[in-house]
Amino acid sequence: MALVVELLRSSLPLLFAMLANVPAIAQSPEPPQAAISNGVLHVGFYLPDAKKGFYRGTRFDWSGVIRSLEYHGHNYYGPWFTATDPKVIDFVFEGDNIIAGPCSAITGPVEEFSTQEKALGFDEAKPGGTFIKLGVGVLRRPDAEDYNPYRLYEIVNGGKWSIRTNSDSIEFMQELSDPASGYAYRYTKTVSLTRGKPEMALEHKLENTGRRKIESSVYDHNFLVLDKQPTGPDYMVRVPFAIHAQRAEHADLARIEGNQFTYRKKLEGRETVSAEFSGFGKTAADYRISIENRKAAAGMQVTGDRPLSKENLWSIRSVLAVEPFIDISIEPGKTFTWRYEYTYYSLK
């Protein structure tokens, strides 16, 4: 397990801000949105839209982008950044502001697909050719530079998106085909709320409709901004397995004890804490993460039905994100499914 703390620096200019206390440039038109509720959870979404969607980057899956989730007076998701700038790669600190680039400026439990830490078919594509980013579309490789998930690529074909909304569920479907590469798929994500309970399920189905095998991994970034509480000692992360610490730097900021990850102090300024968890087994039993904040007196648990292939943690002063990975392998004509379950709760 590696624990790394970095200080990030930048002097890139601020173009517009997203919080009320910072001057902002109005955005128009308003991004398409939807909402569902079971009377216990109230969940708002940003919808996929190539022209006026809230997220039009080429890193994360466009489906199921949650802008807010309210439970028992708590809000679990929302912007972890204060502004965006199209020139920024990933994110930068600018004084009191956190400025995100177009590929990272997203909210909620969003997912990213990658093949050997690149996009599907990227290495085969020559400059000017195309490759696939699952959940986004067919992208163009502009030059001989290596793949960079934070770079904004041209979307040649975003596929066909279909959305169906009920009072307590919403279904996103993307159908995509790239004859030049031989890849094609039908991807469905359904977000549903359990009747009368603070539970949310994310169900996925990826059908390989092309002529080539799809090999990928997918992780959920889980951008948690619970009541906008700062990342620090009030947070505790717990997993089912003993976290093995191969290396522990900057122990003054965070610590690992058994199966728990905690912070020694509140993160400030440019402080960034990231970690790679090891020690999990080969079954889905270890895909279980609990995150609690004692000051907010609230927490959440996420479980998955597939074995972990990797698990990371990333945090700055405004957000705490645990990133569980699973592997995907789909032969032509076959289908792969996976499911996450989120439970939200109050602490006594």
Side-chain angles (χ1 to χ4, degrees):
M1 196 288 299
L3 176 63
V4 180
V5 179
E6 300 172 333
L7 297 180
L8 302 179
R9 299 178 180 176
S10 174
S11 60
L12 292 173
L14 172 63
L15 292 189
F16 60 88
M18 297 188 67
L19 293 184
N21 62 339
V22 179
I25 296 174
Q27 298 184 54
S28 180
E30 185 75 10
Q33 302 177 32
I36 62 175
S37 176
N38 62 355
V40 180
L41 296 179
H42 305 276
V43 188
F45 297 86
Y46 289 117
L47 304 181
D49 192 294
K51 293 184 178 180
K52 53 185 179 178
F54 173 82
Y55 183 76
R56 286 172 281 171
T58 53
R59 178 185 176 190
F60 291 110
D61 170 13
W62 283 19
S63 67
V65 178
I66 295 178
R67 60 180 177 81
S68 67
L69 185 148
E70 297 177 1
Y71 166 67
H72 210 255
H74 302 288
N75 192 359
Y76 285 77
Y77 306 118
W80 54 271
F81 48 93
T82 58
T84 63
D85 186 332
K87 301 185 187 70
V88 168
I89 299 298
D90 198 7
F91 77 99
V92 296
F93 295 104
E94 183 76 20
D96 292 335
N97 293 311
I98 301 170
I99 308 169
C103 288
S104 296
I106 198 168
T107 65
V110 294
E111 294 168 86
E112 181 183 8
F113 295 85
S114 63
T115 301
Q116 297 179 344
E117 299 185 354
K118 300 181 181 182
L120 190 63
F122 180 85
D123 283 339
E124 301 170 13
K126 296 185 185 330
T130 58
F131 61 97
I132 304 290
K133 189 70 171 181
L134 294 166
V136 180
V138 179
L139 311 182
R140 190 177 307 284
R141 181 172 184 174
D143 48 41
E145 294 292 324
D146 203 359
Y147 178 72
N148 184 346
Y150 309 112
R151 182 176 183 177
L152 187 63
Y153 291 93
E154 176 192 353
I155 301 176
V156 178
N157 177 10
K160 177 185 177 184
W161 282 100
S162 304
I163 302 167
R164 295 194 303 176
T165 304
N166 295 313
S167 60
D168 58 1
S169 67
I170 184 168
E171 178 189 276
F172 303 86
M173 179 185 291
Q174 184 196 33
E175 298 176 271
L176 184 75
S177 177
D178 182 28
S181 67
Y183 289 112
Y185 64 84
R186 181 181 299 109
Y187 172 49
T188 306
K189 178 189 288 186
T190 304
V191 183
S192 60
L193 307 178
T194 304
R195 183 176 181 181
K197 295 183 179 181
E199 298 174 355
M200 178 177 70
L202 274 64
E203 298 180 86
H204 312 74
K205 180 169 66 173
L206 184 57
E207 304 169 71
N208 187 346
T209 58
R211 64 177 188 271
R212 299 184 63 184
K213 183 178 182 180
I214 294 176
E215 294 275 5
S216 182
S217 69
V218 62
Y219 74 95
D220 198 317
H221 205 299
N222 289 307
F223 288 105
L224 179 65
V225 292
L226 175 54
D227 291 344
K228 298 184 179 179
Q229 290 295 314
T231 305
D234 289 321
Y235 272 108
M236 182 274 297
V237 178
R238 184 173 60 248
V239 294
F241 52 89
I243 304 170
H244 297 166
Q246 300 173 357
R247 190 161 54 95
E249 298 179 355
H250 301 279
D252 57 323
L253 290 182
R255 61 154 124 12
I256 295 167
E257 296 178 327
N259 68 336
Q260 296 186 7
F261 182 97
T262 56
Y263 295 85
R264 293 184 182 272
K265 67 178 289 290
K266 183 175 70 172
L267 298 189
E268 299 174 311
R270 293 176 168 84
E271 291 173 337
T272 301
V273 173
S274 61
E276 183 179 345
F277 291 178
S278 63
F280 51 82
K282 297 182 179 181
T283 72
D286 282 336
Y287 196 131
R288 187 170 78 250
I289 305 153
S290 297
I291 307 175
E292 297 177 354
N293 186 289
R294 63 186 178 186
K295 185 175 182 180
M300 60 170 282
Q301 183 180 86
V302 55
T303 61
D305 67 349
R306 295 283 183 174
L308 291 167
S309 60
K310 186 166 70 170
E311 189 163 68
N312 294 339
L313 178 146
W314 173 81
S315 56
I316 57 176
R317 64 180 192 253
S318 64
V319 61
L320 193 164
V322 180
E323 308 165 1
F325 289 68
I326 66 171
D327 287 335
I328 294 174
S329 180
I330 320 172
E331 297 286 351
K334 301 296 183 180
T335 298
F336 184 89
T337 64
W338 67 104
R339 176 185 173 96
Y340 312 137
E341 293 184 356
Y342 288 78
T343 302
Y344 303 91
Y345 54 89
S346 298
L347 301 177
K348 296 182 180 179

